[in-house]
């Protein structure tokens, strides 16, 4: 399943935002948002382990909020995928 772009556009206090699925090139912005909100600087290995190298998904399970004027990420909503089994069937839900 692949998400289409953009999901939503909105304005708040004179700033235009776009809410959209994660795209190639968003990694540094994602890590910057995590660092600014948690005070912890995590690297690409951490990102890949949780979101980038998920073998049963064809997309990165993250939605981002981008300041359209500045072109930088200001918010993220990551989802943790779980592999679910029921009998002999396997399904990935995110």
């Amino acid at each position: 399943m692949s998400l289409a772009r953009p999901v939503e556009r909105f304005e708040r206090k004179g700033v235009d935002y776009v809410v959209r699925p994660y795209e190639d090139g968003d990694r540094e912005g994602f890590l910057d948002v995590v660092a600014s909100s948690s005070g912890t600087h995590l690297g690409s290995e951490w990102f890949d382990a949780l979101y980038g190298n998920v073998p049963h998904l064809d997309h990165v399970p993250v939605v981002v909020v981008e300041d359209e004027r500045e072109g930088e990420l200001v918010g993220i909503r990551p989802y943790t995928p779980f592999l679910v089994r029921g009998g002999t069937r396997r399904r990935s839900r995110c």
Side-chain angles (χ1 to χ4, degrees), residues 1-2 50-51 53-61 79-86 88-94:
M1 176 180 99
S2 184
L50 289 177
Y51 307 110
N53 293 329
V54 181
H56 47 277
L57 292 180
D58 64 355
H59 66 284
V60 175
Y79 295 89
T80 304
F82 293 97
L83 187 60
V84 179
R85 294 178 191 211
T88 59
R89 294 182 65 200
R90 294 174 58 162
R91 294 193 61 152
S92 176
R93 293 292 180 181
C94 181

Side-chain angles (χ1 to χ4, degrees), residues 59-81:
H59 66 284
V60 175
V62 174
V63 174
V64 300
V65 180
E66 180 181 16
D67 177 337
E68 194 169 42
R69 185 173 299 143
E70 299 294 324
E72 69 180 46
L73 299 187
V74 295
I76 56 173
R77 177 57 173 109
Y79 295 89
T80 304

Side-chain angles (χ1 to χ4, degrees), residues 26-71:
D26 286 338
R27 181 180 303 213
E28 287 305 314
F30 178 97
L31 294 172
D32 288 346
V33 171
V34 170
S36 68
S37 64
S38 69
T40 303
H41 296 278
L42 302 168
S44 289
E45 296 86 20
W46 172 83
F47 180 89
D48 285 340
L50 289 177
Y51 307 110
N53 293 329
V54 181
H56 47 277
L57 292 180
D58 64 355
H59 66 284
V60 175
V62 174
V63 174
V64 300
V65 180
E66 180 181 16
D67 177 337
E68 194 169 42
R69 185 173 299 143
E70 299 294 324

